[in-house]
Amino acid sequence: MPKTLTRSSALYQEALTCFPAGVNSPVRAFKAVGGQPLFIREGKGSKVTDADGNEYIDYLGSWGPLILGHAHPEVVRKTAAAIEKGTSFGTPHEGEVALARLVKECFPSMELLRFVNSGTEATMSAIRLARGFTGRDIVLKFEGCYHGHSDSLLAKAGSGAMTFGVPDSAGVPGDITRKTLTVPYNDTAAFTAIMEKEGPRIAAVIVEPVAGNMGLVLPREGFLEALRASTAEHGAVLIFDEVITGFRVAKGGAQERCGIRPDLTTLGKVLGGGFPLAAYGGKKEIMEQVAPLGSVYQAGTLSGNPVAVAAGRATLEAILSEQNFYDTLAAKTDLLVRTVGEIFTRRGIPHVINHFASMFTIFFTGGEVFDYQSAKKAQADRYGPFFHHMLERGIYFPPSQFETAFVSSAHTEKDIEATAAAAEKTFTLQEMTWK
C-alpha cells in the first residue's frame, strides 16, 4: 500500500514558492526518478522518519557524511557541549588545532591544512593554490568526476579525449572552462597523451581517486599510479579530491588504500560529522603559498567553526576508537551487495553493483561500469521505478541512478535482511520484471 505523504506534499507545495524546484540542492528534487521529494523530520541510527511519520532504512546518509548513522550519541553530546560555549568566534580556538592534529595523523600527505566550509570551497581553493604555486593556468580533470560547483570545474569533455572543456552550466564563461582539460576516467593512454602534449602548461591534475559522482566507479590498476608519475615528471600538482572518500574508505582515505601520496588533498563530508566542514591541505612548500604566508588569497568567516569542528572531532574519535571499524563496515556492505545481487541474478535482472568499502551503486546494465560513458549505458529509466518501489517498502536509496549509496556503522544485519526482503518483493511485481 502506498505510504501517506500528505504532510510532505503540503510542504513541497509551500517550498515551491520559496526555492527553485522547491529544494536547496538539485538532486533533492527527485527529477531523475520522478515524483516529489520527501521531507525528513528526524533521523536516528540507520533510519530516517519523514514528515508523515513513515520510517525508512537510510542508505543516503546525508550523501556520505553520516558514517556513524544519524544522531550518534557521542556526536550529539559533544556538539551540544560546544554550542553551550558559543556558536562562532571568528578567531583561532583549541578545538580546530585538536582536529587538525587528527587529520594530519590520518593523512600524512597533509603537512599543513586549512579548514573551510564545504567540499566546493576546498577544491576551489586547492585549484587556486595549485595555479599560484606553479604559475600555470590549465587544470586537468576527468569526465564524470565532480569537484563542486566553482566555475572552472564545471566543464565536460568535448568531441574527444583531448579537448578543452566547455561550460557544463549556464552562467559559466567559456573563457574560464577553456583552461580546463577533460579526459575520460580510467583512460591512462588518453591521460598520458595529453600530458605529453600539454604537461608544461598544466598547473594541476584533480581526480576523485575512487569516483563517486557518476555512481561509484573504481580506478583501474595502474591509473592512479600513472597520474602520480606524470604529474611529478611535468611539475603539475596532483590533487586527490577525497571529499567523499576521506575517512569513508579508510582512516587515511583512498590514498591510504592505494598507497599514493598526492601533493594536495581535499576533505569534507565525514570530516564534519554532519556539519558544514571541509579542508584542503598538502605539502608544506605548497601550503605556505596561502595568505598570509604567501600571495594566494583564501578566507572564510566561519572557517573552523567551533560547533562543526566539535562534531567532526567527535566523529573521528569514535571511528578511531574502534580497532576494526572499517573492516566491520566493509563486511556489512559486502553482505548487502551480495544478498541484493543474488536476488537480481535469480530474477534475471541485468545489473552491476560497484562497491568499495562502505560505498555502493546499483547500475541496471549488463556491462562493466568503469567510466562516465559506460555509466551512462545503465538504464536509468529502470532505476526510477526500482527506487520508488523500494521507498514504498521502507528503503531509502539515493534518488538518482548516478549517485553513490552509503552504509553506516549503525546499519545492522536486520536492516540488510529488510533491504533484501524489500528487493525480493519489488521484483515479484509484473511491472518490475524485465530482461
Side-chain angles (χ1 to χ4, degrees), residues 141-146 155-158 168 182-187 208 211 213-218 354 363 368-378 401-402:
K141 70 180 289 288
F142 294 90
E143 186 179 2
C145 287
Y146 176 71
K156 59 185 177 182
D168 205 22
T182 310
V183 177
Y185 188 80
N186 271 328
D187 193 335
E208 291 181 271
N213 287 286
M214 47 183 151
L216 180 66
V217 177
L218 279 62
N354 283 355
F363 294 98
E368 181 188 5
V369 178
F370 57 90
D371 63 6
Y372 182 59
Q373 295 303 320
S374 57
K376 289 202 301 184
K377 292 180 181 178
Q401 168 69 92
F402 304 111

Side-chain angles (χ1 to χ4, degrees), residues 82 86-101 115 277 302-310 313:
T87 57
S88 183
F89 306 132
T91 70
H93 60 93
E94 184 177 353
E96 64 184 359
V97 178
L99 180 57
R101 282 199 301 264
F115 290 126
L277 183 67
L302 295 176
S303 295
N305 174 270
V307 178
V309 162
R313 187 178 170 190

Side-chain angles (χ1 to χ4, degrees), residues 59 67 322 325-339 355 357-358 360 407-413 415-416:
Y59 293 105
I67 195 168
E322 293 188 34
F325 180 87
Y326 288 102
D327 290 340
T328 302
L329 202 52
K332 290 181 185 179
T333 309
D334 290 343
L335 177 61
L336 173 65
V337 168
R338 184 173 66 253
T339 304
H355 72 289
S358 58
F360 69 96
V407 176
S408 75
S409 61
H411 285 94
T412 65
E413 286 194 18
D415 290 331
I416 294 170

Side-chain angles (χ1 to χ4, degrees), residues 199-334:
R201 301 171 61 205
I202 292 176
V205 173
I206 185 168
V207 67
E208 291 181 271
V210 177
N213 287 286
M214 47 183 151
L216 180 66
V217 177
L218 279 62
R220 284 180 159 174
E221 185 176 355
F223 174 63
L224 296 175
E225 288 79 1
L227 270 56
R228 177 65 285 178
S230 186
T231 50
E233 177 186 353
H234 293 284
V237 174
L238 178 61
I239 304 172
F240 271 14
D241 180 348
E242 297 224 42
V243 169
I244 292 178
T245 55
F247 302 108
R248 167 56 69 174
V249 302
K251 75 172 186 177
Q255 56 195 261
E256 177 187 312
R257 296 286 298 266
C258 69
I260 295 174
R261 189 174 178 129
D263 301 310
L264 291 176
T265 297
T266 61
L267 300 172
K269 295 189 183 289
V270 172
L271 176 66
F275 281 74
L277 183 67
Y280 68 101
K283 287 183 175 179
K284 183 179 180 181
E285 64 181 300
I286 300 177
M287 290 298 296
E288 285 180 338
Q289 302 305 308
V290 178
L293 288 180
S295 58
V296 178
Y297 191 75
Q298 178 269 314
T301 299
L302 295 176
S303 295
N305 174 270
V307 178
V309 162
R313 187 178 170 190
T315 298
L316 298 195
E317 287 173 345
I319 290 171
L320 297 175
S321 69
E322 293 188 34
Q323 186 174 2
N324 298 314
F325 180 87
Y326 288 102
D327 290 340
T328 302
L329 202 52
K332 290 181 185 179
T333 309
D334 290 343

Side-chain angles (χ1 to χ4, degrees), residues 51 65 111 129 131 166 208 212 230 267 345 349 354 368:
E111 296 170 358
L129 177 57
R131 284 175 164 149
V166 297
E208 291 181 271
S230 186
L267 300 172
T345 299
I349 309 298
N354 283 355
E368 181 188 5

Side-chain angles (χ1 to χ4, degrees), residues 74-86 306-307 310:
E74 277 300 285
V75 176
V76 171
R77 184 180 69 81
K78 291 179 179 178
T79 304
I83 290 173
E84 290 181 353
K85 294 179 180 179
V307 178

